[in-house]
Amino acid sequence: MMGTLTIAGLGPGDAALITPEVSAALTEATDVVGYAPYVARVPSREGLRLHASDNRMELSRAGEALKLAAEGRRVVLVSSGDPGVFAMAAAVFEALEAAPEWQDISIRVLPGVTAMLAAAARAGAPLGHDFCAINLSDNLKPWPVIEKRLRLAVEADFAIAIYNPRSKSRPDGFARALDILKGAGCGERTIIFAHAVTTPKERIETLSLNQARAEMADMATLVIVGNSTTRRVGRWVYAPRRAS
Amino acid sequence: MMGTLTIAGLGPGDAALITPEVSAALTEATDVVGYAPYVARVPSREGLRLHASDNRMELSRAGEALKLAAEGRRVVLVSSGDPGVFAMAAAVFEALEAAPEWQDISIRVLPGVTAMLAAAARAGAPLGHDFCAINLSDNLKPWPVIEKRLRLAVEADFAIAIYNPRSKSRPDGFARALDILKGAGCGERTIIFAHAVTTPKERIETLSLNQARAEMADMATLVIVGNSTTRRVGRWVYAPRRAS
């Protein structure tokens, strides 16, 4: 008998941001699959099998989860944040498309609080007007595509949420992104660095883009660049609802 | 003594998508303020004062919540979805900027699952690659700004989440938006209409943009337009992680 695959988002870090729907799915699971730091966030219990894997293994991890479900297990594949935003859901559907024998598996996607929403909440409301979300990882995307999207996002006057700004294997892209934004006239805009948001290591920095340095970001940082109308009131940053 | 103001997101509809953090805030509240249908989602209990208001009263509602907090109450201002995405958080900071006497109120913003994440989860992973979110309400935004953003979003090849596509007072904007997208060469793209997502009235329709009619959307609909690489596998829609 076919089992089930639930692709679930654990939110940005704090257990108080895991939806009851996801908690219930974890309670009913026989197997939890995911990147090791996310699997470590799932409370262990007798009979629950944990399958932790390394970073950058998205497609094989998705295949492992589908295979377990095909064997009749109740599998939860965990992502941080929301599984549909730069996370595991797309990888599962890619794996599914390549393997018709798995297409009868019962699949559910359970949304979660993605990092930009938690970061925005800490800062105020910088995503209160139209915005975009760009993944700066160029493992799967040529750099010219990223550069073009940044320029068009500025032209559209979107606030910009930047995921995965910088990693040890990609130390330079975010510096180039900052240069592009400065060159596009965004130097006076507000930029927010939200590091490890909702965890004990949380650190939120708000400054003008001209003052920003690439070293302020790492893989645990979500960056938000305000639009041209973004304002500050006290310690808060917000995008007015009215367009300029 | 100053009270507190918590700006909280109730998620898209299903109580199982309300975060424990928000539930705890509601349990501790003395007053709940919000648009009437959202206040109606809060369980009543003895001593909890409910302050329900009409639509389009965002700024006066924000002022009411701040005033109650200034009087020493523990106020929760509720939004649907996430309070920072086309919802009440920005209105609170606007009201706060205009009223320095309220700037000592202790304010927290609690994120929630915004409609586009729940809609995307139902459909698969259409927001699995870079995307943008555009509010089609032109009450606060001239139509040419909306039109420009739609065109640039297509040029950037973002998937596009469209909030508030259509209402009785704005019956025509969404039809114009569809025409712009068709004219920009998006006729073959996948479009998802997610109506009343996660509620008993949920209805998800997936079709090609050429087949879409404006009447398919109302104010309870979240629309997602796929990017140029969006694919379908069985009943699922997803954006491949790799750019074209």
Side-chain angles (χ1 to χ4, degrees), chain A residues 150-158 184 189, chain B residues 148-149 152 155:
Chain A
L150 287 170
R151 291 188 194 283
L152 290 167
V154 171
E155 193 180 341
D157 204 12
F158 287 131
R189 290 200 188 185
Chain B
K148 180 180 177 187
R149 287 182 182 158
L152 291 166
E155 192 179 343

Side-chain angles (χ1 to χ4, degrees), chain B residues 6-240:
Chain B
T6 302
I7 310 164
L10 297 177
D14 184 347
L17 291 174
I18 301 176
T19 66
E21 182 179 64
V22 168
S23 294
L26 290 170
T27 301
E28 292 161 10
T30 60
D31 296 74
V32 171
V33 176
Y35 176 42
Y38 307 149
V39 171
R41 289 175 53 195
V42 176
S44 64
R45 61 178 156 78
E46 199 169 317
L48 179 66
R49 297 190 206 168
L50 303 176
H51 308 261
S53 47
D54 283 345
N55 205 353
R56 299 204 176 185
M57 303 293 290
E58 288 82 5
L59 213 54
S60 65
R61 186 186 302 137
E64 181 187 12
L66 285 160
K67 184 167 176 289
L68 286 165
E71 291 167 5
R73 313 286 298 173
R74 283 191 305 281
V75 182
V76 177
L77 175 58
V78 290
S79 280
S80 179
D82 178 89
V85 175
F86 313 131
M88 285 302 300
V92 168
F93 296 113
E94 280 179 42
L96 194 66
E97 193 171 2
E101 70 275 19
W102 286 336
Q103 291 179 13
D104 293 333
I105 294 171
S106 172
I107 297 177
R108 289 191 306 163
V109 183
L110 305 186
V113 173
T114 184
M116 69 178 167
L117 301 183
R122 287 295 197 261
L127 304 179
H129 196 80
D130 300 340
F131 64 93
C132 66
I134 298 179
N135 185 354
L136 220 63
S137 168
D138 59 1
N139 300 329
L140 294 164
K141 190 161 53 180
W143 178 261
V145 171
I146 295 175
E147 180 164 339
K148 180 180 177 187
R149 287 182 182 158
L150 287 169
R151 291 187 193 284
L152 291 166
V154 171
E155 192 179 343
D157 205 10
F158 288 131
I160 307 170
I162 298 177
Y163 281 74
N164 304 316
R166 195 159 171 272
S167 72
K168 283 178 188 160
S169 63
R170 297 180 292 101
D172 301 326
F174 184 56
R176 292 161 73 182
L178 288 176
D179 285 342
I180 289 165
L181 293 168
K182 286 175 195 167
C186 301
E188 302 298 320
R189 290 200 188 183
T190 300
I191 186 169
I192 299 154
F193 291 85
H195 178 82
V197 65
T198 82
T199 78
K201 293 181 178 169
E202 174 177 302
R203 195 178 63 244
I204 311 288
E205 291 180 279
T206 301
L207 58 166
S208 79
L209 203 139
N210 274 331
Q211 299 171 295
R213 288 175 294 105
E215 300 71 44
M216 292 174 175
D218 62 20
M219 280 305 278
T221 309
L222 188 291
V223 174
I224 297 176
V225 178
N227 69 16
S228 68
T229 67
T230 296
R231 299 181 64 81
R232 296 176 74 160
V233 48
R235 75 175 187 83
W236 300 103
V237 178
Y238 77 97

Side-chain angles (χ1 to χ4, degrees), chain A residues 189-220:
Chain A
R189 290 200 188 185
T190 300
I191 186 169
I192 299 154
F193 291 85
H195 178 82
V197 65
T198 82
T199 79
K201 293 182 178 171
E202 174 176 301
R203 195 177 65 245
I204 311 289
E205 291 180 279
T206 301
L207 58 166
S208 79
L209 203 139
N210 273 332
Q211 299 170 295
R213 288 176 294 104
E215 299 73 44
M216 292 175 175
D218 62 20
M219 279 305 277

Side-chain angles (χ1 to χ4, degrees), chain A residues 31-212:
Chain A
D31 296 74
V32 171
V33 176
Y35 176 41
Y38 308 149
V39 171
R41 289 175 53 196
V42 175
S44 64
R45 59 179 157 78
E46 198 169 316
L48 179 65
R49 298 190 205 167
L50 302 177
H51 308 261
S53 48
D54 284 346
N55 204 352
R56 297 201 178 190
M57 303 292 289
E58 288 82 4
L59 213 54
S60 64
R61 187 186 303 138
E64 181 188 13
L66 284 160
K67 184 166 176 292
L68 286 164
E71 291 167 6
R73 313 286 297 173
R74 282 190 306 281
V75 182
V76 178
L77 175 59
V78 291
S79 280
S80 179
D82 178 89
V85 175
F86 312 132
M88 284 302 298
V92 168
F93 295 114
E94 280 178 43
L96 193 67
E97 193 172 2
E101 70 274 20
W102 287 336
Q103 291 179 11
D104 292 332
I105 295 171
S106 173
I107 297 177
R108 289 190 306 163
V109 184
L110 306 186
V113 174
T114 184
M116 69 178 167
L117 301 184
R122 287 294 199 261
L127 305 179
H129 196 80
D130 300 340
F131 64 93
C132 66
I134 298 179
N135 184 355
L136 221 64
S137 167
D138 58 2
N139 300 329
L140 294 164
K141 189 160 54 179
W143 178 261
V145 171
I146 296 175
E147 181 164 338
K148 180 180 176 187
R149 287 183 183 159
L150 287 170
R151 291 188 194 283
L152 290 167
V154 171
E155 193 180 341
D157 204 12
F158 287 131
I160 307 171
I162 299 177
Y163 281 75
N164 303 315
R166 195 160 171 270
S167 73
K168 282 178 188 161
S169 63
R170 296 179 292 102
D172 301 326
F174 183 56
R176 292 162 73 184
L178 288 176
D179 285 342
I180 289 165
L181 293 169
K182 287 174 194 167
C186 301
E188 303 298 320
R189 290 200 188 185
T190 300
I191 186 169
I192 299 154
F193 291 85
H195 178 82
V197 65
T198 82
T199 79
K201 293 182 178 171
E202 174 176 301
R203 195 177 65 245
I204 311 289
E205 291 180 279
T206 301
L207 58 166
S208 79
L209 203 139
N210 273 332
Q211 299 170 295

